[in-house]
Amino acid sequence: MTRRGYLPILLVLAVLALLPFAVTSNVVLNFVVFVLIITLAAQGWNLLGGVGGQSSFGHAAFFGTGAYVSAILQVRFGINAWVATAVAVAAGAAVGWIIGFLSFRAGLRGSYFALVTLAFAEVLRILANAAGFTGGAAGLLMKLDVGFWNMQFTSRAAFLWLALGFVAVGLIVSQMIANSRFGAQLVAVRENEEAARALGVDVLSVKLKAITVSAALTAVAGCLYLQYFLYIDANIAYGLWISVEALLAPMVGGRGLVLGPIIGAFTLHGLGEASKLLAGRVPGIDLAAYGAVLILVVAFAPGGVLGLLRKLRFRSQPVAKTAEETA
Amino acid sequence: MYSLPIVAEAMLNGLLTGAVYALIALGLTLVYGVLHIINFAHGAFLTCAMFAVWLANTFLGLDPYLAILPLTLIFFAIGYAVQRFVIGPASHGDDGNILLITLGLSIVIENALLAGFRSDTRSLMTDYSFNVFEVGPLLISQARLFGFLGAVVVTGLLWLLLAATDTGKAIRAVAKEKLGARLVGINVSHVFAVTFGIGCATLAIAACLLMPTFYVNPRVGGAFVLVAFTIVVLGGMGSITGALIGGLFIGVVESLCGLFLGESLGQIGIFIIFILVLLFRPTGLFGARA
């Protein structure tokens, strides 16, 4: 175990934590909280899709399970928000393990894995939309009851720090994994599954561990979304939008890198807001910009924003890519 | 509980819908078979084509069935250009990249349509939209029967194209062995683009056959594309006959699930089949490759 890589994380966290002292605009704080929630979902995706190379198109399955389990526990059973969140995250992790167990054991990878995760998320969406205890198509509305124990805050800053706390946990977990033996095994599976197996890596168990942690992180994002907006329905919680958000941010920021998701989420949503300002109130224009950014990144900057920065820094000397660096 | 004519009518309706599903899946399976990519932008191109039909009808007064020929040509050209000048160069030949590029394309197209047309749902009013044939106790919508026949004819033509023409031979050669095809003088990136163009052209036909009885809004393609994925996986990726049979089967499954489980759960049967096929027989029922 090394202590490498924690300094940049600390810097990013410090800047965001001090933000509420510099800015009081609710619009800006709202924006930051929303982007932090997306960051959490993206950190989950990055662990499985970025570090492990198993691109999922259905992280909505974990986001939605987190949100729904937490909402049902609080609305129907009156359980404390913090306990509900903990149970919901465990439920999200369990769903991740089950989906992983079924699809990895069947040997699905690449496009097939992407499609099967998409299908699982769709099944959950249709079920949540039709079942009674999930509120059906009307969704679930939480009671507004501000207080620490209900995880509801009047000040946007308080919620920002809460979300940032979870993002910090996500960053530290990602960095610990990147520095660990498990992280190296995961990268080995991404680069060449057969070779990893030949070297004695238990591929199935490495992938299962990755998808479980990944699902848990994304489930936290679902829980936070619920606590912040106090309303979910099937198209929000299990919708394709969150699967795409979770995938886009790491791709744009830097796939497989610890800081990739947070950099990517802020870049994307910053660009989205900018295009909204430029184009006025045209619906869909920010999303069209995301799509264009995705195409441009894949075409011209496969390493994402962080990859570009690194290229600029090391322009004179060739970049040596070690497993730990790319993780 | 359910009388025989109702079940029979549901099955018949399922077959009619299923044929159009098959037509949509046809382009997807062809592109997969040759380029080995899953085209996430397929649904967005379908939405584009449906808007094109709507525009042609509303502003030029062009009947959807007469629009088939010009739109097929236009969409072939669009598909050719997109593959040749966007997807091909941007992906650097990596399959994972192509998946992401087509995802990006679908996001751009869908939201550009949303910006241009807003989220209103539009439909065509033709004087034959509600005509029916009466067969015994069953009523069959004329427009949907035409859709069925059109889909079957196009499938046949596509099969002929692949089996009997030089272009078809080149496409099959590239699908089997890219390097070998290049060595015998086939222009691989041209064949890729032609294949992608054909995929888009079948979507234009599907849109013309759909529009007399269906509606269009910027998100409509998404509903079709997931169904099309299921059909492609069920029929075996790259198999034309598999797509046709899979499409008809899925149409019937959806229709019966809707009848027995209620409208909101109608599509769940499709996704459960999808997951089961992927987990237990990922090569599909007619697929040859692993």
Side-chain angles (χ1 to χ4, degrees):
Chain A
M1 292 285 283
T2 57
R3 289 178 189 283
R4 276 207 301 153
Y6 290 104
L7 191 66
I9 295 178
L10 225 67
L11 271 173
V12 172
L13 289 175
V15 168
L16 285 170
L18 293 176
L19 192 75
F21 297 110
V23 185
T24 49
S25 152
N26 271 342
V27 179
V28 174
L29 294 182
N30 258 337
F31 168 79
V32 174
V33 169
F34 183 70
V35 175
L36 285 175
I37 292 173
I38 299 295
T39 301
L40 260 171
Q43 282 176 325
W45 188 93
N46 193 37
L47 202 58
L48 182 69
V51 184
Q54 314 296 316
S55 292
S56 145
F57 277 62
H59 259 55
F62 316 135
F63 182 88
T65 303
Y68 264 112
V69 169
S70 175
I72 289 167
L73 288 178
Q74 290 179 64
V75 173
R76 300 249 188 272
F77 300 100
I79 287 172
N80 172 284
W82 296 87
V83 178
T85 299
V87 176
V89 172
V95 168
W97 188 86
I98 292 168
I99 292 179
F101 182 75
L102 289 173
S103 35
F104 290 140
R105 228 180 39 131
L108 298 181
R109 15 173 163 161
S111 314
Y112 285 96
F113 179 69
L115 283 179
V116 84
T117 48
L118 180 65
F120 274 113
E122 276 298 297
V123 166
L124 290 171
R125 186 181 66 80
I126 294 170
L127 285 176
N129 202 34
F133 67 96
T134 57
L140 280 172
L141 186 66
M142 298 250 295
K143 211 165 67 197
L144 179 68
D145 188 3
V146 177
F148 177 79
W149 295 111
N150 294 330
M151 221 195 271
Q152 295 180 20
F153 308 96
T154 36
S155 114
R156 298 275 193 309
F159 207 92
L160 189 147
W161 286 320
L162 176 73
L164 193 63
F166 280 112
V167 168
V169 172
L171 284 171
I172 292 165
V173 167
S174 307
Q175 188 61 50
M176 273 165 61
I177 289 176
N179 290 349
S180 72
R181 195 176 172 75
F182 166 59
Q185 289 174 334
L186 202 52
V187 172
V189 169
R190 173 186 74 194
E191 294 300 325
N192 190 331
E193 204 174 307
E194 280 72 27
R197 185 174 287 122
L199 286 170
V201 175
D202 185 347
V203 172
L204 181 65
S205 103
V206 165
K207 282 181 175 175
L208 276 180
K209 233 196 254 177
I211 197 173
T212 310
V213 181
S214 166
L217 279 173
T218 305
V220 176
C223 296
L224 280 181
Y225 184 97
L226 173 76
Q227 296 306 130
Y228 194 61
F229 293 97
L230 300 176
Y231 171 78
I232 48 164
D233 66 19
N235 289 326
I236 294 174
Y238 284 122
L240 188 61
W241 74 277
I242 187 68
S243 298
V244 172
E245 288 271 8
L247 168 159
L248 275 182
M251 291 303 304
V252 170
R255 188 176 187 173
L257 300 167
V258 172
L259 285 173
I262 194 165
I263 304 276
F266 275 97
T267 311
L268 264 179
H269 284 267
L271 285 173
E273 293 301 313
S275 56
K276 261 195 226 165
L277 283 179
L278 284 176
R281 289 235 145 262
V282 183
I285 199 78
D286 50 333
L287 292 170
Y290 292 1
V293 169
L294 176 63
I295 297 174
L296 290 175
V297 164
V298 174
F300 300 112
V305 174
L306 289 172
L308 270 184
L309 291 178
R310 185 173 291 182
K311 228 196 237 161
L312 290 177
R313 244 175 71 197
F314 292 98
R315 184 163 265 175
S316 49
Q317 62 216 76
V319 185
K321 261 197 194 166
T322 66
E324 270 180 336
E325 245 182 304
T326 43
Chain B
M1 185 173 168
Y2 294 101
S3 63
L4 196 62
I6 292 182
V7 177
E9 189 149 348
M11 286 186 73
L12 192 71
N13 269 322
L15 280 178
L16 296 181
T17 316
V20 180
Y21 283 166
L23 189 55
I24 296 166
L26 213 56
L28 201 61
T29 206
L30 184 70
V31 169
Y32 184 85
V34 179
L35 284 83
H36 303 282
I37 57 157
I38 290 178
N39 177 12
F40 264 96
H42 205 63
F45 281 119
L46 177 67
T47 316
C48 264
M50 289 169 83
F51 267 113
V53 177
W54 181 81
L55 284 173
N57 185 270
T58 311
F59 293 107
L60 304 175
L62 200 60
D63 186 271
Y65 294 125
L66 293 177
I68 289 181
L69 191 63
L71 284 183
T72 305
L73 293 175
I74 292 171
F75 272 81
F76 176 81
I78 293 176
Y80 186 94
V82 165
Q83 164 63 30
R84 190 89 197 232
F85 303 116
V86 181
I87 301 178
S91 63
H92 312 295
D94 180 89
D95 289 0
N97 285 346
I98 302 180
L99 201 70
L100 293 166
I101 301 256
T102 57
L103 179 69
L105 272 178
S106 78
I107 298 173
V108 171
I109 295 173
E110 254 185 28
N111 290 291
L113 288 172
L114 184 66
F117 293 94
R118 305 296 152 112
S119 52
D120 309 339
T121 291
R122 296 174 165 89
S123 55
L124 293 185
M125 229 353 117
T126 53
D127 34 3
Y128 49 79
S129 281
F130 295 107
N131 287 4
V132 290
F133 294 118
E134 281 183 46
V135 184
L138 303 178
L139 298 175
I140 304 174
S141 153
Q142 267 182 23
R144 298 184 64 188
L145 190 66
F146 291 150
F148 177 83
L149 295 175
V152 174
V153 169
V154 171
T155 311
L157 286 177
L158 198 62
W159 184 81
L160 259 181
L161 174 89
L162 285 178
T165 65
D166 277 351
T167 312
K169 217 184 254 175
I171 291 176
R172 281 184 295 136
V174 171
K176 278 231 169 64
E177 177 57 61
K178 212 161 46 175
L179 186 65
R182 183 170 284 142
L183 285 175
V184 296
I186 294 171
N187 182 345
V188 172
S189 43
H190 173 72
V191 169
F192 275 178
V194 166
T195 311
F196 207 86
I198 295 174
C200 286
T202 57
L203 285 178
I205 302 173
C208 294
L209 297 173
L210 266 174
M211 276 311 282
T213 54
F214 213 72
Y215 56 86
V216 57
N217 64 44
R219 302 250 177 267
V220 75
F224 284 101
V225 79
L226 281 171
V227 176
F229 280 144
T230 313
I231 294 165
V232 168
V233 168
L234 183 68
M237 297 227 189
S239 160
I240 303 271
T241 38
L244 183 63
I245 297 169
L248 296 175
F249 179 68
I250 289 295
V252 172
V253 166
E254 183 189 38
S255 181
L256 290 181
C257 279
L259 179 66
F260 293 124
L261 299 174
E263 202 58 53
S264 62
L265 281 172
Q267 287 211 316
I268 201 143
I270 298 180
F271 292 114
I272 288 174
I273 290 179
F274 187 45
I275 292 172
L276 290 178
V277 172
L278 272 175
L279 293 182
F280 295 109
R281 204 177 152 75
T283 53
L285 303 178
F286 302 90
R289 262 189 314 274

